[in-house]
Amino acid sequence: MRLSISHETTYHYDDQVRASIQYLRLTPHDSERQQVLSWQLALPRPVRAQVDPFGNILHVLTMDEPHEAIVIGARGQVEIDEKREAEHESQSSLPFLRFTRLTEADEAIRAFAAKETKKRTDRNALIDLMQALNQHITYTPGATAVDTSAAQAFANGAGVCQ
């Protein structure tokens, strides 16, 4: 199956920003399941590709002059092998098992995860958990701040992507 992808993100700031840095992981890579036929980023300035520690293609966009908005575009075509259900992961999952003061799961989150996954650990269990979280937590601007923990956002049933 051939997919044509077009994505645009626009950041608007209430006040002029003196400088900003965006870490962009918007570029797919070839794998056993997909082949990138064409891909390009539309950015306000040239950037170089690098690979992050997890194998993702990363571009760092540094805006060091005052600006009130940033428009980031990505588009291209990817061929997917529909016969392959998933990729074989070569990266260790250990970095994703760490937690911080803000990301540590409390008992309510653990119980929710156990209920939604039925203690399964396969890909479908993760998809079920993701969909249940999407239903449980409503995107609500102002509901959380940079120091709001995952447990607080989960308990409130609302938050933003910080």
Side-chain angles (χ1 to χ4, degrees):
M1 167 181 20
R2 183 172 291 189
L3 303 176
S4 291
I5 301 164
S6 179
H7 170 86
E8 185 174 280
T9 298
T10 302
Y11 293 96
H12 290 283
Y13 303 102
D14 290 337
D15 297 315
Q16 199 172 60
V17 177
R18 285 188 282 159
S20 64
I21 299 174
Q22 302 288 324
Y23 288 83
L24 308 173
R25 291 176 178 87
L26 294 171
T27 304
H29 55 81
D30 290 334
S31 68
E32 61 189 76
R33 186 166 190 249
Q34 74 180 15
Q35 180 183 6
V36 180
L37 304 175
S38 65
W39 198 260
Q40 67 183 59
L41 297 178
L43 303 173
R45 66 173 26 145
V47 294
R48 280 186 282 146
Q50 52 191 300
V51 178
D52 75 9
F54 303 108
N56 300 304
I57 299 171
L58 169 69
H59 295 85
V60 180
L61 173 63
T62 303
M63 302 286 291
D64 51 8
E65 68 278 339
H67 55 281
E68 294 175 353
I70 302 173
V71 179
I72 297 168
R75 61 185 33 91
Q77 290 193 337
V78 178
E79 186 80 38
I80 303 292
D81 181 351
E82 295 178 79
K83 295 179 184 110
R84 292 187 183 268
E85 181 180 320
E87 305 282 346
H88 294 95
E89 294 294 330
S90 60
Q91 301 285 331
S92 169
S93 61
L94 291 177
F96 300 101
L97 299 175
R98 304 181 296 199
F99 59 85
T100 68
R101 170 181 67 78
L102 296 176
T103 63
E104 186 172 12
D106 64 2
E107 190 51 45
I109 292 175
R110 285 189 194 91
F112 181 86
K115 176 182 165 251
E116 296 301 329
T117 62
K118 300 173 181 62
K119 299 197 180 189
R120 296 170 295 140
T121 58
D122 62 349
R123 182 173 184 253
N124 289 331
L126 293 175
I127 291 170
D128 291 345
L129 179 58
M130 176 186 64
Q131 290 173 340
L133 282 169
N134 184 48
Q135 293 299 310
H136 181 81
I137 300 176
T138 303
Y139 178 81
T140 308
T144 55
V146 294
D147 60 348
T148 304
S149 71
Q152 291 168 318
F154 182 82
N156 293 335
V160 297
C161 45
Q162 292 174 312

